[in-house]
């Protein structure tokens, strides 16, 4: 090998090394850049999160930090709470939370949800919580004709408790007769359409559930009369007086009380009772609640 050749080879080798160094540098910088931009993105997300939390904390201050005191506070509803509070300045903050959770910051039949707790005594069906067209409760049984018009059905447990209650009332010389109980979606649809035709939709909405939104579809609700007076006159009867004192002992509650129309979405109905089980019924009775209030405070869970 000549000296010249060796020199050329050396030169090539140096260029080769330089290229390798250059490539390594580029790769290193590139990787660094990618890592940095990923980290930057994370930081940005983190920053946004922090800002959101600060905003949330400020809003919570507006709500007197109610989240620490109230177990059923739902952080997803903060904006709704504040809007509702601004529109109802005299309302206690506890009631603001309660009302919004029930849903009444929205019009009836808007922002509706599919009912949960199907086939349980704790199911809530109202103007915000509906049942599917094909929902039929399990274990429907006919109520004895001693205590009901023929063909009336309730869910098994509610049915036995209803019969036990009516039997006790009979022992005390009173008569409880179920005039309406389980209603299918189709039947409710027919009823509602007839009412709407007769009185107009707006009026019908104050006393009849739209199909899917009637508690009668749960098989846990019963309308009573005393076998003589119209059911709409039930309030004036001794049977009503007896129910006021005793219904909860058998697990029934007056479902649409006088002072809770706004929360239940229904006018006062002295004849409509709902089975919830003895424990819950007793609590509701003793604390003068409606089922919407009890449900919101003790049954509904936010995930
Ligand atoms: Zn009813």
């Amino acid at each position: 090998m000549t000296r010249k050749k060796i020199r050329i080879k050396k030169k090539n080798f140096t260029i080769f090394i330089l290229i390798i160094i250059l490539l390594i540098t580029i790769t290193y910088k590139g990787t660094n850049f990618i890592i940095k931009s990923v980290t930057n993105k994370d930081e940005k997300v983190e920053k946004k999160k922090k800002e959101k939390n600060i905003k949330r904390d400020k809003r919570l201050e507006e709500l007197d930090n109610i989240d620490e005191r109230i177990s059923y506070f739902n952080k997803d509803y903060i904006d709704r709470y504040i809007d509702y509070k601004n529109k109802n300045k005299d309302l206690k903050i506890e009631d603001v939370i309660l009302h919004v959770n029930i849903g009444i910051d929205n019009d009836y039949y808007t922002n509706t949800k599919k009912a949960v707790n199907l086939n349980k005594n704790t199911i809530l069906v109202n103007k915000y919580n509906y049942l599917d067209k094909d929902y039929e409760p399990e274990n429907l049984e006919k109520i004895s004709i001693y205590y009901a018009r023929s063909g009336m059905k309730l869910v098994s447990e509610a049915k036995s408790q209803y019969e036990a209650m009516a039997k006790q009332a009979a022992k005390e010389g009173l008569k409880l007769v179920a005039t309406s109980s389980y209603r299918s979606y189709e039947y409710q649809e027919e009823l509602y359409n007839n009412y709407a035709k007769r009185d107009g939709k707006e009026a019908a909405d104050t006393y009849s559930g739209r199909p899917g939104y009637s508690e009668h579809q749960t098989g846990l609700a019963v309308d009573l009369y005393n076998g003589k007076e119209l059911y709409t006159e039930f309030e004036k009867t001794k049977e009503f007086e007896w129910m006021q004192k005793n219904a909860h002992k058998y697990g029934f509650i007056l479902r649409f009380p006088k002072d809770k129309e706004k929360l239940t979405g229904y006018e006062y109905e002295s004849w409509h009772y709902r089975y919830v089980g003895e424990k819950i019924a007793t609590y509701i009775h003793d604390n003068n609640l409606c089922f919407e209030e009890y449900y919101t405070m003790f049954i509904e869970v936010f995930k």
Side-chain angles (χ1 to χ4, degrees):
M1 224 181 265
T2 61
R3 269 193 177 179
K4 207 180 170 185
K5 267 190 184 161
I6 289 173
R7 215 179 289 142
I8 289 169
K9 270 223 162 171
K10 253 189 181 172
K11 210 177 163 187
N12 280 351
F13 184 70
T14 316
I15 289 169
F16 175 72
I17 291 292
L18 280 176
I19 288 172
I20 293 289
I21 290 173
L22 193 70
L23 279 178
I24 289 176
T25 316
I26 289 169
T27 317
Y28 176 72
K29 287 231 165 162
T31 320
N32 245 1
F33 176 74
I34 291 166
I35 292 172
K36 253 199 180 162
S37 54
V38 170
T39 328
N40 265 348
K41 213 177 174 190
D42 280 351
E43 272 170 15
K44 263 187 200 161
V45 170
E46 203 55 40
K47 210 179 151 194
K48 254 196 179 162
K49 232 185 190 176
K50 260 187 194 162
E51 276 168 11
K52 208 177 162 193
N53 278 344
I54 291 171
K55 207 173 147 197
R56 219 197 106 205
D57 287 346
K58 268 196 183 158
R59 307 221 82 183
L60 277 175
E61 271 171 36
E62 266 183 72
L63 292 170
D64 305 336
N65 289 311
I66 195 79
D67 60 323
E68 288 157 22
R69 279 180 284 139
I70 290 212
S71 59
Y72 49 91
F73 176 88
N74 181 0
K75 63 180 170 29
D76 295 338
Y77 291 173
I78 288 185
D79 291 333
R80 284 170 64 188
Y81 293 144
I82 289 169
D83 283 351
Y84 191 74
K85 191 188 167 217
N86 288 336
K87 283 180 197 152
N88 300 276
K89 293 214 183 337
D90 299 335
L91 215 55
K92 271 196 305 186
I93 190 70
E94 285 80 355
D95 291 330
V96 168
I97 310 296
L98 195 62
H99 290 190
V100 169
N101 285 19
I102 291 173
I104 63 166
D105 57 325
N106 286 298
D107 289 342
Y108 297 133
Y109 297 116
T110 62
N111 213 20
T112 57
K113 291 179 280 191
K114 216 181 225 191
V116 291
N117 302 316
L118 302 179
N119 292 304
K120 288 185 187 157
N121 295 336
T122 50
I123 187 172
L124 173 70
V125 174
N126 61 12
K127 290 178 177 176
Y128 300 106
N129 298 274
Y130 63 89
L131 290 168
D132 281 334
K133 197 171 185 164
D134 57 2
Y135 178 77
E136 191 190 301
E138 292 165 359
N139 308 318
L140 280 173
E141 285 175 16
K142 269 192 192 156
I143 308 170
S144 154
I145 48 155
Y146 286 118
Y147 312 119
R149 284 175 39 226
S150 84
M152 298 281 111
K153 286 180 192 168
L154 283 176
V155 166
S156 175
E157 186 183 325
K159 177 237 171 202
S160 339
Q161 287 294 90
Y162 171 71
E163 287 178 351
M165 178 168 74
K167 196 173 174 186
Q168 183 56 39
K171 269 190 195 165
E172 298 178 34
L174 303 167
K175 194 168 183 180
L176 294 178
V177 183
T179 179
S180 184
S181 50
Y182 166 69
R183 294 181 203 148
S184 68
Y185 182 99
E186 287 76 15
Y187 184 63
Q188 186 67 31
E189 193 170 36
E190 208 182 301
L191 270 183
Y192 178 81
N193 288 344
N194 285 339
Y195 291 140
K197 223 189 232 168
R198 191 185 68 190
D199 299 337
K201 224 174 167 181
E202 204 179 309
D205 274 338
T206 64
Y207 61 84
S208 172
R210 292 186 190 172
Y213 294 86
S214 168
E215 195 175 50
H216 282 281
Q217 200 184 335
T218 65
L220 296 166
V222 60
D223 294 337
L224 300 180
Y225 81 125
N226 69 352
K228 286 179 280 185
E229 268 82 35
L230 277 176
Y231 74 95
T232 46
E233 304 291 310
F234 191 62
E235 193 188 1
K236 296 171 187 161
T237 65
K238 277 190 183 144
E239 281 78 5
F240 173 73
E241 219 173 280
W242 188 87
M243 284 295 282
Q244 293 270 76
K245 284 185 212 133
N246 297 290
H248 64 279
K249 297 174 193 165
Y250 297 88
F252 285 88
I253 54 166
L254 179 72
R255 182 64 180 84
F256 306 122
K258 222 173 214 166
D259 50 344
K260 308 278 185 184
E261 281 101 341
K262 209 174 142 193
L263 301 183
T264 62
Y266 285 93
E267 282 175 3
Y268 168 55
E269 289 188 0
S270 60
W271 59 88
H272 180 115
Y273 293 84
R274 156 72 195 269
Y275 185 73
V276 289
E278 191 195 334
K279 214 175 129 201
I280 297 177
T282 303
Y283 190 93
I284 286 176
H285 175 266
D286 294 351
N287 292 281
N288 188 33
L289 300 175
C290 65
F291 189 52
E292 274 76 10
E293 292 173 297
Y294 184 89
Y295 184 90
T296 303
M297 292 192 280
F298 302 114
I299 299 171
E300 190 173 35
V301 205
F302 296 112
K303 281 166 202 160

